[in-house]
Structure formats: structure tokens, C-alpha cells
Amino acid sequence: MAILQLQDTWNRLKSNMDASARDELIVRYAHLVSITVGRVVANFPAYLDREDLVSAGSMGLIKAVDQFDLDRGVKFETYAIALIRGAILEMMRDQDWVPRSIRDHIKSVERALAACELDLGRPPVDSEIAEKMGVTLDHYHHILSETGRTTVISLDDILVGAEDGDGVHLGDALADASSSTISCVERSERRRRLAAAIRKLPPREKTVICLYYKDGLTFREIGQVLVISESRAFQLHSQAVTRMRKDLTEHATLF
């Protein structure tokens, strides 16, 4: 849309409340929604779908078109992106059932894990993570128990290999007649990355993941196998998931 034509479209909307001009402008600037969605949430939370975020952003764009003042000397793109971003963040807050304090705890554990691994050159044990976070071991275990109850990721759909620790999503094990070469390559890469993340887990955490997802044991049963309490089995699972989430963050687009 040429500059003069664009200006004419804005004038039609603001002067005559032309509905067709409104539609033209919404279509003209629709790309701002996709751009803003990508910037706000590079890795989409498990409880949200990209289409939901695009829908929320689209409502922000429509609001921007309706409210934009041509006489203020502000670029529409700048104004629209602010409203689109606000609409997306508001939806994320409304949809997120996990308290902010728990989200902060999850981030703290992930940062401590990363720092300890960098310092030690190996997966840290509980006491080392607790020390890095500046909390007692009991308090760290309490944090794991809290964060573990909020974990909503696709690990519930994982099959873990019995011998080599390899693992894939359940959906990846099903035949797909419409599967393309690209999707096959992505599926293979997912398997490889996930297997690598599982192999990096400390032995007991790897065992918990295998017993829980492959063998279908409850945390009580896992505790009996490892001769630990049910709550400790739950904490080991939570810690394993946190480690894997950290390792897979840079490959989030594959999952």
C-alpha cells in the first residue's frame, strides 16, 4: 500500500468511520502481531498456544487502529506494538495459573543449576545448589516440592528407552502418513536432544525419570525401589525436570 494510499485510508477511517478502511488497515498491519508475539514470548509457555497469543495480539491491533490519533505525530507501528504487547501480556497473566512466586523459584533454581554446573564442570548435588541459592537444604527441598506441582510440560508423553536412556515423545512414535522430510529431520533431532538431556542427569534422577515415564511407577513405588521417601522421589523428579528444561531451552522450537 503506497504512502498516499495509506494516508487516504486513514483519512477515510477517521473522517467517515469507513468500515472497509478499518479492515484494510487491520490487514495492512497484521504482520505486527506476529512480530510482537515472537518478541514477547520466544518460548511459548506450555499452557498457551501460539494461536491464542496471536488472537490476543490481534485484539490489541484492532484497538490500536480504532484509537490511533493521526495528529499526535507518533508512528502507528510504535503505538500499535505497545497495545499488541500489552494485550498479549494481559492474556498470559490471565491464563497463567501458577503464582508469580513459584515462577520466580523455578527461575532461581535454573540459574543456580547453571551456575553450579559452570563452576563444577558436572551436575551439582542438592547441597551445592542450595548453597548457591543461599538457602538451607530443607528449604531447597521445599522449593522443589512447590515447583514440581506446577510442571506442565510434554514429559508426560515421553517414552524412555530401557537400555541407553534414549527417549522420544509418544506422538513421535506414531506413524504419520503426511509426514514430510523436514518433520522427519525435526523428529530425529528432538530424539537426539532429549536423549542427550536425559543422559546428562545424575544417576538417581535418571532412574526416577525412567521408572516414572517408562515403567509407570508412582512416586511411592519409586521411593520403595530407591529406598527413599515418596516426597524425596517427587523432589528428584522435579529437579530432573528442571535440569532438562534448562538443557533444552535453546532448542525450545523443536519441542
Side-chain angles (χ1 to χ4, degrees):
M1 189 181 291
I3 295 177
L4 291 179
Q5 183 183 355
L6 180 60
Q7 185 63 43
D8 177 65
T9 304
W10 276 112
N11 290 334
R12 283 164 46 212
L13 172 63
K14 297 305 179 181
S15 301
N16 306 319
M17 298 303 292
D18 189 326
S20 63
R22 181 176 184 260
D23 292 342
E24 288 176 30
L25 289 168
I26 292 171
V27 172
R28 167 67 176 78
Y29 291 107
H31 67 283
L32 296 178
V33 176
S34 296
I35 291 173
T36 307
V37 167
R39 289 176 179 172
V40 172
V41 276
N43 302 319
F44 298 108
Y47 55 87
L48 286 179
D49 182 86
R50 180 184 174 85
E51 290 304 314
D52 294 331
L53 298 172
V54 170
S55 294
S58 298
M59 296 303 295
L61 173 61
I62 292 171
K63 183 177 180 181
V65 169
D66 289 343
Q67 297 183 356
F68 184 59
D69 186 346
L70 292 171
D71 299 325
R72 294 188 62 180
V74 178
K75 285 187 65 176
F76 175 75
E77 288 87 343
T78 303
Y79 177 75
I81 287 174
L83 268 64
I84 294 168
R85 185 175 187 275
I88 293 170
L89 293 177
E90 183 177 357
M91 182 202 175
M92 292 177 67
R93 284 192 295 268
D94 291 343
Q95 295 286 325
D96 191 359
W97 55 272
V98 179
R100 178 64 180 271
S101 60
I102 302 299
R103 292 279 179 211
D104 291 341
H105 282 324
I106 292 172
K107 291 178 182 178
S108 296
V109 172
E110 290 176 347
R111 285 195 295 266
L113 274 169
C116 285
E117 288 184 357
L118 184 63
D119 293 342
L120 302 171
R122 58 169 172 77
V125 299
D126 292 16
S127 58
E128 292 166 336
I129 301 171
E131 182 179 356
K132 178 65 71 172
M133 293 179 66
V135 299
T136 65
L137 186 58
D138 285 345
H139 185 53
Y140 173 64
H141 287 161
H142 175 68
I143 290 174
L144 287 180
S145 296
E146 281 189 328
T147 58
R149 295 188 182 94
T150 67
T151 302
V152 184
I153 58 176
S154 59
L155 282 179
D156 286 328
D157 294 330
I158 284 178
L159 301 173
V160 182
E163 277 137 32
D164 59 2
D166 195 4
V168 297
H169 287 285
L170 180 58
D172 292 338
L174 303 177
D176 182 1
S178 63
S179 179
S180 65
T181 301
I182 293 177
S183 64
C184 288
V185 171
E186 290 179 343
R187 187 180 308 119
S188 176
E189 185 65 7
R190 276 197 294 269
R191 291 192 185 102
R192 191 175 74 82
R193 296 292 182 183
L194 187 56
I198 293 172
R199 282 195 297 269
K200 288 175 64 176
L201 294 174
R204 285 214 299 179
E205 292 178 23
K206 188 187 300 182
T207 299
V208 169
I209 292 295
C210 289
L211 292 175
Y212 188 73
Y213 292 106
K214 175 180 177 292
D215 298 329
L217 271 61
T218 66
F219 290 118
R220 180 187 297 277
E221 292 167 336
I222 293 173
Q224 293 171 350
V225 172
L226 298 179
V227 195
I228 57 178
S229 67
E230 179 181 0
S231 62
R232 181 60 183 146
F234 182 79
Q235 290 166 1
L236 287 171
H237 171 270
S238 178
Q239 189 162 273
V241 169
T242 301
R243 290 187 202 271
M244 294 175 68
R245 182 192 289 115
K246 179 184 69 66
D247 288 341
L248 295 172
T249 295
E250 61 183 294
H251 310 294
T253 53
L254 286 172
F255 295 87

